[in-house]
PDB file of all heavy atoms in Angstrom:
ATOM      1  N   MET A   1     -82.334 -32.013   9.363  1.00  0.00           N
ATOM      2  CA  MET A   1     -82.280 -33.384   8.816  1.00  0.00           C
ATOM      3  C   MET A   1     -81.702 -34.325   9.890  1.00  0.00           C
ATOM      4  O   MET A   1     -80.679 -34.022  10.487  1.00  0.00           O
ATOM      5  CB  MET A   1     -81.421 -33.386   7.559  1.00  0.00           C
ATOM      6  CG  MET A   1     -81.434 -34.725   6.834  1.00  0.00           C
ATOM      7  SD  MET A   1     -80.384 -34.764   5.357  1.00  0.00           S
ATOM      8  CE  MET A   1     -81.232 -33.601   4.276  1.00  0.00           C
ATOM      9  N   GLN A   2     -82.397 -35.427  10.116  1.00  0.00           N
ATOM     10  CA  GLN A   2     -81.922 -36.401  11.097  1.00  0.00           C
ATOM     11  C   GLN A   2     -80.741 -37.172  10.580  1.00  0.00           C
ATOM     12  O   GLN A   2     -80.506 -37.294   9.363  1.00  0.00           O
ATOM     13  CB  GLN A   2     -83.052 -37.384  11.406  1.00  0.00           C
ATOM     14  CG  GLN A   2     -84.311 -36.746  11.952  1.00  0.00           C
ATOM     15  CD  GLN A   2     -84.084 -36.091  13.293  1.00  0.00           C
ATOM     16  OE1 GLN A   2     -83.426 -36.674  14.197  1.00  0.00           O
ATOM     17  NE2 GLN A   2     -84.571 -34.887  13.482  1.00  0.00           N
ATOM     18  N   LEU A   3     -79.898 -37.690  11.520  1.00  0.00           N
ATOM     19  CA  LEU A   3     -78.752 -38.466  11.114  1.00  0.00           C
ATOM     20  C   LEU A   3     -79.183 -39.687  10.273  1.00  0.00           C
ATOM     21  O   LEU A   3     -78.512 -40.062   9.331  1.00  0.00           O
ATOM     22  CB  LEU A   3     -78.004 -38.946  12.378  1.00  0.00           C
ATOM     23  CG  LEU A   3     -76.777 -38.161  12.818  1.00  0.00           C
ATOM     24  CD1 LEU A   3     -76.218 -38.721  14.093  1.00  0.00           C
ATOM     25  CD2 LEU A   3     -75.736 -38.125  11.734  1.00  0.00           C
ATOM     26  N   THR A   4     -80.269 -40.285  10.685  1.00  0.00           N
ATOM     27  CA  THR A   4     -80.766 -41.456   9.947  1.00  0.00           C
ATOM     28  C   THR A   4     -81.131 -41.077   8.514  1.00  0.00           C
ATOM     29  O   THR A   4     -80.925 -41.863   7.587  1.00  0.00           O
ATOM     30  CB  THR A   4     -82.005 -42.110  10.636  1.00  0.00           C
ATOM     31  OG1 THR A   4     -82.950 -41.067  10.933  1.00  0.00           O
ATOM     32  CG2 THR A   4     -81.591 -42.832  11.906  1.00  0.00           C
ATOM     33  N   ASP A   5     -81.625 -39.858   8.334  1.00  0.00           N
ATOM     34  CA  ASP A   5     -81.993 -39.392   6.962  1.00  0.00           C
ATOM     35  C   ASP A   5     -80.733 -39.281   6.118  1.00  0.00           C
ATOM     36  O   ASP A   5     -80.733 -39.671   4.930  1.00  0.00           O
ATOM     37  CB  ASP A   5     -82.690 -38.032   7.036  1.00  0.00           C
ATOM     38  CG  ASP A   5     -84.028 -38.098   7.703  1.00  0.00           C
ATOM     39  OD1 ASP A   5     -84.670 -39.182   7.685  1.00  0.00           O
ATOM     40  OD2 ASP A   5     -84.482 -37.060   8.267  1.00  0.00           O
ATOM     41  N   VAL A   6     -79.654 -38.731   6.686  1.00  0.00           N
ATOM     42  CA  VAL A   6     -78.409 -38.594   5.937  1.00  0.00           C
ATOM     43  C   VAL A   6     -77.891 -39.988   5.589  1.00  0.00           C
ATOM     44  O   VAL A   6     -77.404 -40.223   4.456  1.00  0.00           O
ATOM     45  CB  VAL A   6     -77.356 -37.826   6.769  1.00  0.00           C
ATOM     46  CG1 VAL A   6     -76.063 -37.691   5.972  1.00  0.00           C
ATOM     47  CG2 VAL A   6     -77.869 -36.451   7.200  1.00  0.00           C
ATOM     48  N   LEU A   7     -77.954 -40.911   6.521  1.00  0.00           N
ATOM     49  CA  LEU A   7     -77.493 -42.271   6.260  1.00  0.00           C
ATOM     50  C   LEU A   7     -78.343 -42.962   5.167  1.00  0.00           C
ATOM     51  O   LEU A   7     -77.798 -43.692   4.338  1.00  0.00           O
ATOM     52  CB  LEU A   7     -77.501 -43.093   7.542  1.00  0.00           C
ATOM     53  CG  LEU A   7     -76.403 -42.706   8.547  1.00  0.00           C
ATOM     54  CD1 LEU A   7     -76.752 -43.237   9.946  1.00  0.00           C
ATOM     55  CD2 LEU A   7     -75.023 -43.235   8.103  1.00  0.00           C
ATOM     56  N   VAL A   8     -79.632 -42.732   5.217  1.00  0.00           N
ATOM     57  CA  VAL A   8     -80.512 -43.305   4.170  1.00  0.00           C
ATOM     58  C   VAL A   8     -80.135 -42.736   2.824  1.00  0.00           C
ATOM     59  O   VAL A   8     -80.005 -43.465   1.836  1.00  0.00           O
ATOM     60  CB  VAL A   8     -82.006 -43.013   4.495  1.00  0.00           C
ATOM     61  CG1 VAL A   8     -82.868 -43.348   3.274  1.00  0.00           C
ATOM     62  CG2 VAL A   8     -82.478 -43.813   5.686  1.00  0.00           C
ATOM     63  N   LEU A   9     -79.952 -41.436   2.743  1.00  0.00           N
ATOM     64  CA  LEU A   9     -79.600 -40.796   1.471  1.00  0.00           C
ATOM     65  C   LEU A   9     -78.250 -41.314   0.981  1.00  0.00           C
ATOM     66  O   LEU A   9     -78.061 -41.535  -0.226  1.00  0.00           O
ATOM     67  CB  LEU A   9     -79.511 -39.273   1.655  1.00  0.00           C
ATOM     68  CG  LEU A   9     -80.862 -38.546   1.828  1.00  0.00           C
ATOM     69  CD1 LEU A   9     -80.644 -37.100   2.257  1.00  0.00           C
ATOM     70  CD2 LEU A   9     -81.665 -38.594   0.522  1.00  0.00           C
ATOM     71  N   LYS A  10     -77.303 -41.514   1.877  1.00  0.00           N
ATOM     72  CA  LYS A  10     -76.000 -42.031   1.514  1.00  0.00           C
ATOM     73  C   LYS A  10     -76.078 -43.408   0.913  1.00  0.00           C
ATOM     74  O   LYS A  10     -75.255 -43.793   0.095  1.00  0.00           O
ATOM     75  CB  LYS A  10     -75.089 -42.055   2.776  1.00  0.00           C
ATOM     76  CG  LYS A  10     -73.646 -42.450   2.536  1.00  0.00           C
ATOM     77  CD  LYS A  10     -72.851 -42.394   3.809  1.00  0.00           C
ATOM     78  CE  LYS A  10     -71.436 -42.920   3.627  1.00  0.00           C
ATOM     79  NZ  LYS A  10     -70.642 -42.076   2.734  1.00  0.00           N
ATOM     80  N   SER A  11     -77.108 -44.167   1.291  1.00  0.00           N
ATOM     81  CA  SER A  11     -77.269 -45.538   0.796  1.00  0.00           C
ATOM     82  C   SER A  11     -77.954 -45.601  -0.573  1.00  0.00           C
ATOM     83  O   SER A  11     -77.973 -46.663  -1.196  1.00  0.00           O
ATOM     84  CB  SER A  11     -78.085 -46.355   1.783  1.00  0.00           C
ATOM     85  OG  SER A  11     -79.453 -45.980   1.783  1.00  0.00           O
ATOM     86  N   VAL A  12     -78.485 -44.464  -1.037  1.00  0.00           N
ATOM     87  CA  VAL A  12     -79.190 -44.442  -2.340  1.00  0.00           C
ATOM     88  C   VAL A  12     -78.159 -44.615  -3.474  1.00  0.00           C
ATOM     89  O   VAL A  12     -77.108 -43.985  -3.454  1.00  0.00           O
ATOM     90  CB  VAL A  12     -79.960 -43.141  -2.534  1.00  0.00           C
ATOM     91  CG1 VAL A  12     -80.538 -43.047  -3.922  1.00  0.00           C
ATOM     92  CG2 VAL A  12     -81.059 -42.989  -1.465  1.00  0.00           C
ATOM     93  N   VAL A  15     -75.598 -41.857  -5.024  1.00  0.00           N
ATOM     94  CA  VAL A  15     -75.382 -40.733  -4.144  1.00  0.00           C
ATOM     95  C   VAL A  15     -73.989 -40.860  -3.504  1.00  0.00           C
ATOM     96  O   VAL A  15     -73.786 -41.660  -2.557  1.00  0.00           O
ATOM     97  CB  VAL A  15     -76.470 -40.624  -3.034  1.00  0.00           C
ATOM     98  CG1 VAL A  15     -76.127 -39.537  -2.060  1.00  0.00           C
ATOM     99  CG2 VAL A  15     -77.803 -40.371  -3.675  1.00  0.00           C
ATOM    100  N   LEU A  20     -74.433 -35.880  -1.851  1.00  0.00           N
ATOM    101  CA  LEU A  20     -75.032 -35.792  -0.521  1.00  0.00           C
ATOM    102  C   LEU A  20     -74.921 -34.386   0.046  1.00  0.00           C
ATOM    103  O   LEU A  20     -75.859 -33.827   0.642  1.00  0.00           O
ATOM    104  CB  LEU A  20     -74.377 -36.794   0.414  1.00  0.00           C
ATOM    105  CG  LEU A  20     -74.994 -37.050   1.771  1.00  0.00           C
ATOM    106  CD1 LEU A  20     -76.469 -37.308   1.669  1.00  0.00           C
ATOM    107  CD2 LEU A  20     -74.286 -38.185   2.482  1.00  0.00           C
ATOM    108  N   ILE A  24     -77.956 -31.882   1.261  1.00  0.00           N
ATOM    109  CA  ILE A  24     -77.985 -31.284   2.604  1.00  0.00           C
ATOM    110  C   ILE A  24     -78.063 -29.775   2.503  1.00  0.00           C
ATOM    111  O   ILE A  24     -78.810 -29.119   3.240  1.00  0.00           O
ATOM    112  CB  ILE A  24     -76.768 -31.735   3.410  1.00  0.00           C
ATOM    113  CG1 ILE A  24     -76.827 -33.259   3.681  1.00  0.00           C
ATOM    114  CG2 ILE A  24     -76.677 -30.964   4.714  1.00  0.00           C
ATOM    115  CD1 ILE A  24     -75.561 -33.805   4.297  1.00  0.00           C
ATOM    116  N   VAL A  57     -86.941 -44.471  -3.088  1.00  0.00           N
ATOM    117  CA  VAL A  57     -86.712 -44.938  -1.721  1.00  0.00           C
ATOM    118  C   VAL A  57     -87.739 -44.378  -0.756  1.00  0.00           C
ATOM    119  O   VAL A  57     -88.203 -45.050   0.162  1.00  0.00           O
ATOM    120  CB  VAL A  57     -85.293 -44.524  -1.282  1.00  0.00           C
ATOM    121  CG1 VAL A  57     -85.114 -44.682   0.246  1.00  0.00           C
ATOM    122  CG2 VAL A  57     -84.234 -45.324  -2.007  1.00  0.00           C
ATOM    123  N   PHE A  58     -88.152 -43.134  -1.020  1.00  0.00           N
ATOM    124  CA  PHE A  58     -89.114 -42.467  -0.103  1.00  0.00           C
ATOM    125  C   PHE A  58     -90.573 -42.757  -0.453  1.00  0.00           C
ATOM    126  O   PHE A  58     -91.450 -42.365   0.319  1.00  0.00           O
ATOM    127  CB  PHE A  58     -88.855 -40.950  -0.139  1.00  0.00           C
ATOM    128  CG  PHE A  58     -87.643 -40.540   0.663  1.00  0.00           C
ATOM    129  CD1 PHE A  58     -86.387 -40.578   0.078  1.00  0.00           C
ATOM    130  CD2 PHE A  58     -87.722 -40.159   1.989  1.00  0.00           C
ATOM    131  CE1 PHE A  58     -85.264 -40.196   0.782  1.00  0.00           C
ATOM    132  CE2 PHE A  58     -86.599 -39.781   2.676  1.00  0.00           C
ATOM    133  CZ  PHE A  58     -85.373 -39.817   2.096  1.00  0.00           C
ATOM    134  N   TYR A  63     -87.882 -46.444   2.787  1.00  0.00           N
ATOM    135  CA  TYR A  63     -87.333 -45.470   3.727  1.00  0.00           C
ATOM    136  C   TYR A  63     -87.509 -45.911   5.167  1.00  0.00           C
ATOM    137  O   TYR A  63     -86.559 -45.851   5.976  1.00  0.00           O
ATOM    138  CB  TYR A  63     -88.003 -44.106   3.517  1.00  0.00           C
ATOM    139  CG  TYR A  63     -87.707 -43.122   4.613  1.00  0.00           C
ATOM    140  CD1 TYR A  63     -86.490 -42.438   4.646  1.00  0.00           C
ATOM    141  CD2 TYR A  63     -88.606 -42.890   5.637  1.00  0.00           C
ATOM    142  CE1 TYR A  63     -86.194 -41.538   5.681  1.00  0.00           C
ATOM    143  CE2 TYR A  63     -88.341 -42.002   6.685  1.00  0.00           C
ATOM    144  CZ  TYR A  63     -87.132 -41.324   6.689  1.00  0.00           C
ATOM    145  OH  TYR A  63     -86.871 -40.463   7.701  1.00  0.00           O
ATOM    146  N   LEU A  66     -85.128 -48.759   6.049  1.00  0.00           N
ATOM    147  CA  LEU A  66     -83.735 -48.301   6.138  1.00  0.00           C
ATOM    148  C   LEU A  66     -83.527 -47.443   7.387  1.00  0.00           C
ATOM    149  O   LEU A  66     -82.484 -47.546   8.049  1.00  0.00           O
ATOM    150  CB  LEU A  66     -83.395 -47.478   4.890  1.00  0.00           C
ATOM    151  CG  LEU A  66     -83.178 -48.266   3.600  1.00  0.00           C
ATOM    152  CD1 LEU A  66     -83.082 -47.312   2.420  1.00  0.00           C
ATOM    153  CD2 LEU A  66     -81.912 -49.109   3.691  1.00  0.00           C
ATOM    154  N   SER A  67     -84.487 -46.621   7.725  1.00  0.00           N
ATOM    155  CA  SER A  67     -84.382 -45.789   8.924  1.00  0.00           C
ATOM    156  C   SER A  67     -84.217 -46.636  10.154  1.00  0.00           C
ATOM    157  O   SER A  67     -83.404 -46.330  11.051  1.00  0.00           O
ATOM    158  CB  SER A  67     -85.590 -44.871   9.066  1.00  0.00           C
ATOM    159  OG  SER A  67     -85.608 -43.880   8.074  1.00  0.00           O
ATOM    160  N   ASP A  69     -83.058 -49.706  10.300  1.00  0.00           N
ATOM    161  CA  ASP A  69     -81.728 -50.340  10.275  1.00  0.00           C
ATOM    162  C   ASP A  69     -80.642 -49.377  10.732  1.00  0.00           C
ATOM    163  O   ASP A  69     -79.776 -49.772  11.511  1.00  0.00           O
ATOM    164  CB  ASP A  69     -81.427 -50.802   8.841  1.00  0.00           C
ATOM    165  CG  ASP A  69     -82.262 -52.006   8.415  1.00  0.00           C
ATOM    166  OD1 ASP A  69     -82.822 -52.656   9.304  1.00  0.00           O
ATOM    167  OD2 ASP A  69     -82.326 -52.273   7.207  1.00  0.00           O
ATOM    168  N   PHE A  70     -80.730 -48.136  10.260  1.00  0.00           N
ATOM    169  CA  PHE A  70     -79.705 -47.163  10.632  1.00  0.00           C
ATOM    170  C   PHE A  70     -79.832 -46.706  12.090  1.00  0.00           C
ATOM    171  O   PHE A  70     -78.837 -46.343  12.734  1.00  0.00           O
ATOM    172  CB  PHE A  70     -79.679 -45.971   9.674  1.00  0.00           C
ATOM    173  CG  PHE A  70     -79.065 -46.286   8.356  1.00  0.00           C
ATOM    174  CD1 PHE A  70     -79.798 -46.148   7.172  1.00  0.00           C
ATOM    175  CD2 PHE A  70     -77.772 -46.774   8.286  1.00  0.00           C
ATOM    176  CE1 PHE A  70     -79.219 -46.460   5.938  1.00  0.00           C
ATOM    177  CE2 PHE A  70     -77.189 -47.100   7.053  1.00  0.00           C
ATOM    178  CZ  PHE A  70     -77.925 -46.935   5.898  1.00  0.00           C
ATOM    179  N   GLU A  71     -81.039 -46.706  12.608  1.00  0.00           N
ATOM    180  CA  GLU A  71     -81.226 -46.426  14.060  1.00  0.00           C
ATOM    181  C   GLU A  71     -80.490 -47.496  14.864  1.00  0.00           C
ATOM    182  O   GLU A  71     -79.807 -47.178  15.888  1.00  0.00           O
ATOM    183  CB  GLU A  71     -82.712 -46.433  14.437  1.00  0.00           C
ATOM    184  CG  GLU A  71     -83.472 -45.192  14.014  1.00  0.00           C
ATOM    185  CD  GLU A  71     -83.130 -43.980  14.871  1.00  0.00           C
ATOM    186  OE1 GLU A  71     -82.313 -44.098  15.813  1.00  0.00           O
ATOM    187  OE2 GLU A  71     -83.703 -42.898  14.616  1.00  0.00           O
ATOM    188  N   GLU A  72     -80.590 -48.745  14.459  1.00  0.00           N
ATOM    189  CA  GLU A  72     -79.893 -49.831  15.140  1.00  0.00           C
ATOM    190  C   GLU A  72     -78.387 -49.647  15.005  1.00  0.00           C
ATOM    191  O   GLU A  72     -77.631 -49.860  15.961  1.00  0.00           O
ATOM    192  CB  GLU A  72     -80.307 -51.174  14.569  1.00  0.00           C
ATOM    193  CG  GLU A  72     -81.722 -51.598  14.924  1.00  0.00           C
ATOM    194  CD  GLU A  72     -82.063 -52.990  14.394  1.00  0.00           C
ATOM    195  OE1 GLU A  72     -81.119 -53.710  13.979  1.00  0.00           O
ATOM    196  OE2 GLU A  72     -83.234 -53.338  14.361  1.00  0.00           O
ATOM    197  N   SER A  73     -77.941 -49.255  13.790  1.00  0.00           N
ATOM    198  CA  SER A  73     -76.516 -49.041  13.587  1.00  0.00           C
ATOM    199  C   SER A  73     -75.984 -47.923  14.479  1.00  0.00           C
ATOM    200  O   SER A  73     -74.921 -48.066  15.095  1.00  0.00           O
ATOM    201  CB  SER A  73     -76.233 -48.676  12.110  1.00  0.00           C
ATOM    202  OG  SER A  73     -76.556 -49.746  11.265  1.00  0.00           O
ATOM    203  N   LEU A  74     -76.739 -46.817  14.573  1.00  0.00           N
ATOM    204  CA  LEU A  74     -76.317 -45.698  15.411  1.00  0.00           C
ATOM    205  C   LEU A  74     -76.225 -46.148  16.874  1.00  0.00           C
ATOM    206  O   LEU A  74     -75.309 -45.726  17.605  1.00  0.00           O
ATOM    207  CB  LEU A  74     -77.291 -44.537  15.280  1.00  0.00           C
ATOM    208  CG  LEU A  74     -77.216 -43.738  13.976  1.00  0.00           C
ATOM    209  CD1 LEU A  74     -78.425 -42.809  13.833  1.00  0.00           C
ATOM    210  CD2 LEU A  74     -75.923 -42.913  13.926  1.00  0.00           C
ATOM    211  N   SER A  75     -77.124 -47.004  17.298  1.00  0.00           N
ATOM    212  CA  SER A  75     -77.095 -47.506  18.672  1.00  0.00           C
ATOM    213  C   SER A  75     -75.873 -48.375  18.916  1.00  0.00           C
ATOM    214  O   SER A  75     -75.189 -48.253  19.940  1.00  0.00           O
ATOM    215  CB  SER A  75     -78.381 -48.284  18.963  1.00  0.00           C
ATOM    216  OG  SER A  75     -78.357 -48.815  20.279  1.00  0.00           O
ATOM    217  N   TRP A  77     -73.054 -48.283  17.174  1.00  0.00           N
ATOM    218  CA  TRP A  77     -71.861 -47.445  17.117  1.00  0.00           C
ATOM    219  C   TRP A  77     -71.663 -46.680  18.405  1.00  0.00           C
ATOM    220  O   TRP A  77     -70.572 -46.526  18.919  1.00  0.00           O
ATOM    221  CB  TRP A  77     -71.963 -46.471  15.937  1.00  0.00           C
ATOM    222  CG  TRP A  77     -71.974 -47.139  14.589  1.00  0.00           C
ATOM    223  CD1 TRP A  77     -71.470 -48.379  14.300  1.00  0.00           C
ATOM    224  CD2 TRP A  77     -72.544 -46.660  13.376  1.00  0.00           C
ATOM    225  NE1 TRP A  77     -71.681 -48.663  12.965  1.00  0.00           N
ATOM    226  CE2 TRP A  77     -72.319 -47.637  12.382  1.00  0.00           C
ATOM    227  CE3 TRP A  77     -73.225 -45.458  13.032  1.00  0.00           C
ATOM    228  CZ2 TRP A  77     -72.769 -47.464  11.068  1.00  0.00           C
ATOM    229  CZ3 TRP A  77     -73.651 -45.289  11.712  1.00  0.00           C
ATOM    230  CH2 TRP A  77     -73.424 -46.265  10.744  1.00  0.00           C
ATOM    231  N   VAL A  84     -71.288 -39.828  15.631  1.00  0.00           N
ATOM    232  CA  VAL A  84     -71.412 -39.474  14.216  1.00  0.00           C
ATOM    233  C   VAL A  84     -71.795 -37.989  14.103  1.00  0.00           C
ATOM    234  O   VAL A  84     -72.783 -37.549  14.688  1.00  0.00           O
ATOM    235  CB  VAL A  84     -72.512 -40.310  13.505  1.00  0.00           C
ATOM    236  CG1 VAL A  84     -72.466 -40.039  11.965  1.00  0.00           C
ATOM    237  CG2 VAL A  84     -72.303 -41.810  13.748  1.00  0.00           C
ATOM    238  N   ALA A  86     -72.653 -34.806  11.473  1.00  0.00           N
ATOM    239  CA  ALA A  86     -73.122 -34.558  10.125  1.00  0.00           C
ATOM    240  C   ALA A  86     -72.758 -33.154   9.700  1.00  0.00           C
ATOM    241  O   ALA A  86     -72.838 -32.182  10.466  1.00  0.00           O
ATOM    242  CB  ALA A  86     -74.648 -34.753  10.037  1.00  0.00           C
ATOM    243  N   ALA A 104     -69.508 -35.561   4.337  1.00  0.00           N
ATOM    244  CA  ALA A 104     -70.882 -35.329   4.770  1.00  0.00           C
ATOM    245  C   ALA A 104     -71.118 -35.905   6.170  1.00  0.00           C
ATOM    246  O   ALA A 104     -71.903 -35.369   6.934  1.00  0.00           O
ATOM    247  CB  ALA A 104     -71.862 -35.956   3.775  1.00  0.00           C
ATOM    248  N   LEU A 105     -70.385 -36.957   6.465  1.00  0.00           N
ATOM    249  CA  LEU A 105     -70.486 -37.569   7.774  1.00  0.00           C
ATOM    250  C   LEU A 105     -69.069 -37.787   8.311  1.00  0.00           C
ATOM    251  O   LEU A 105     -68.141 -38.114   7.560  1.00  0.00           O
ATOM    252  CB  LEU A 105     -71.181 -38.938   7.720  1.00  0.00           C
ATOM    253  CG  LEU A 105     -72.696 -38.888   7.396  1.00  0.00           C
ATOM    254  CD1 LEU A 105     -73.200 -40.284   7.070  1.00  0.00           C
ATOM    255  CD2 LEU A 105     -73.474 -38.308   8.578  1.00  0.00           C
ATOM    256  N   LEU A 106     -68.907 -37.603   9.604  1.00  0.00           N
ATOM    257  CA  LEU A 106     -67.637 -37.843  10.267  1.00  0.00           C
ATOM    258  C   LEU A 106     -67.871 -38.774  11.434  1.00  0.00           C
ATOM    259  O   LEU A 106     -68.619 -38.445  12.349  1.00  0.00           O
ATOM    260  CB  LEU A 106     -67.022 -36.506  10.714  1.00  0.00           C
ATOM    261  CG  LEU A 106     -65.496 -36.458  10.905  1.00  0.00           C
ATOM    262  CD1 LEU A 106     -64.793 -36.769   9.588  1.00  0.00           C
ATOM    263  CD2 LEU A 106     -65.062 -35.090  11.416  1.00  0.00           C
ATOM    264  N   PHE A 107     -67.256 -39.942  11.397  1.00  0.00           N
ATOM    265  CA  PHE A 107     -67.378 -40.936  12.469  1.00  0.00           C
ATOM    266  C   PHE A 107     -66.195 -40.757  13.403  1.00  0.00           C
ATOM    267  O   PHE A 107     -65.034 -40.808  12.978  1.00  0.00           O
ATOM    268  CB  PHE A 107     -67.449 -42.334  11.864  1.00  0.00           C
ATOM    269  CG  PHE A 107     -68.606 -42.554  10.957  1.00  0.00           C
ATOM    270  CD1 PHE A 107     -68.532 -42.168   9.626  1.00  0.00           C
ATOM    271  CD2 PHE A 107     -69.804 -43.079  11.427  1.00  0.00           C
ATOM    272  CE1 PHE A 107     -69.627 -42.340   8.768  1.00  0.00           C
ATOM    273  CE2 PHE A 107     -70.876 -43.254  10.604  1.00  0.00           C
ATOM    274  CZ  PHE A 107     -70.809 -42.866   9.268  1.00  0.00           C
ATOM    275  N   GLU A 206     -64.414 -40.777   7.556  1.00  0.00           N
ATOM    276  CA  GLU A 206     -65.636 -40.372   6.865  1.00  0.00           C
ATOM    277  C   GLU A 206     -66.491 -41.560   6.427  1.00  0.00           C
ATOM    278  O   GLU A 206     -67.587 -41.368   5.898  1.00  0.00           O
ATOM    279  CB  GLU A 206     -65.291 -39.502   5.635  1.00  0.00           C
ATOM    280  CG  GLU A 206     -64.585 -40.235   4.512  1.00  0.00           C
ATOM    281  CD  GLU A 206     -64.378 -39.343   3.306  1.00  0.00           C
ATOM    282  OE1 GLU A 206     -65.263 -38.600   2.897  1.00  0.00           O
ATOM    283  OE2 GLU A 206     -63.245 -39.374   2.759  1.00  0.00           O
ATOM    284  N   ASN A 207     -65.972 -42.761   6.654  1.00  0.00           N
ATOM    285  CA  ASN A 207     -66.661 -43.982   6.233  1.00  0.00           C
ATOM    286  C   ASN A 207     -67.330 -44.655   7.384  1.00  0.00           C
ATOM    287  O   ASN A 207     -66.783 -44.747   8.501  1.00  0.00           O
ATOM    288  CB  ASN A 207     -65.659 -44.940   5.589  1.00  0.00           C
ATOM    289  CG  ASN A 207     -64.867 -44.307   4.479  1.00  0.00           C
ATOM    290  OD1 ASN A 207     -65.424 -43.798   3.508  1.00  0.00           O
ATOM    291  ND2 ASN A 207     -63.542 -44.298   4.617  1.00  0.00           N
ATOM    292  N   PRO A 208     -68.524 -45.206   7.177  1.00  0.00           N
ATOM    293  CA  PRO A 208     -69.234 -45.923   8.249  1.00  0.00           C
ATOM    294  C   PRO A 208     -68.392 -47.093   8.751  1.00  0.00           C
ATOM    295  O   PRO A 208     -67.653 -47.741   7.977  1.00  0.00           O
ATOM    296  CB  PRO A 208     -70.505 -46.451   7.540  1.00  0.00           C
ATOM    297  CG  PRO A 208     -70.712 -45.543   6.381  1.00  0.00           C
ATOM    298  CD  PRO A 208     -69.322 -45.172   5.928  1.00  0.00           C
ATOM    299  N   PRO A 209     -68.455 -47.349  10.048  1.00  0.00           N
ATOM    300  CA  PRO A 209     -67.667 -48.477  10.627  1.00  0.00           C
ATOM    301  C   PRO A 209     -68.001 -49.787   9.889  1.00  0.00           C
ATOM    302  O   PRO A 209     -69.140 -50.086   9.611  1.00  0.00           O
ATOM    303  CB  PRO A 209     -68.177 -48.521  12.070  1.00  0.00           C
ATOM    304  CG  PRO A 209     -68.575 -47.108  12.362  1.00  0.00           C
ATOM    305  CD  PRO A 209     -69.147 -46.584  11.090  1.00  0.00           C
TER     306      PRO A 209
END
Side-chain angles (χ1 to χ4, degrees):
M1 187 181 293
Q2 300 296 314
L3 262 177
T4 50
D5 295 333
V6 181
L7 289 162
V8 168
L9 289 169
K10 184 177 175 66
S11 72
V12 174
V15 174
L20 190 50
I24 295 172
V57 167
F58 284 85
Y63 169 79
L66 286 170
S67 290
D69 288 344
F70 284 122
E71 283 287 0
E72 289 183 14
S73 295
L74 286 168
S75 179
W77 296 336
V84 188
L105 291 168
L106 204 61
F107 298 85
E206 67 177 317
N207 306 302

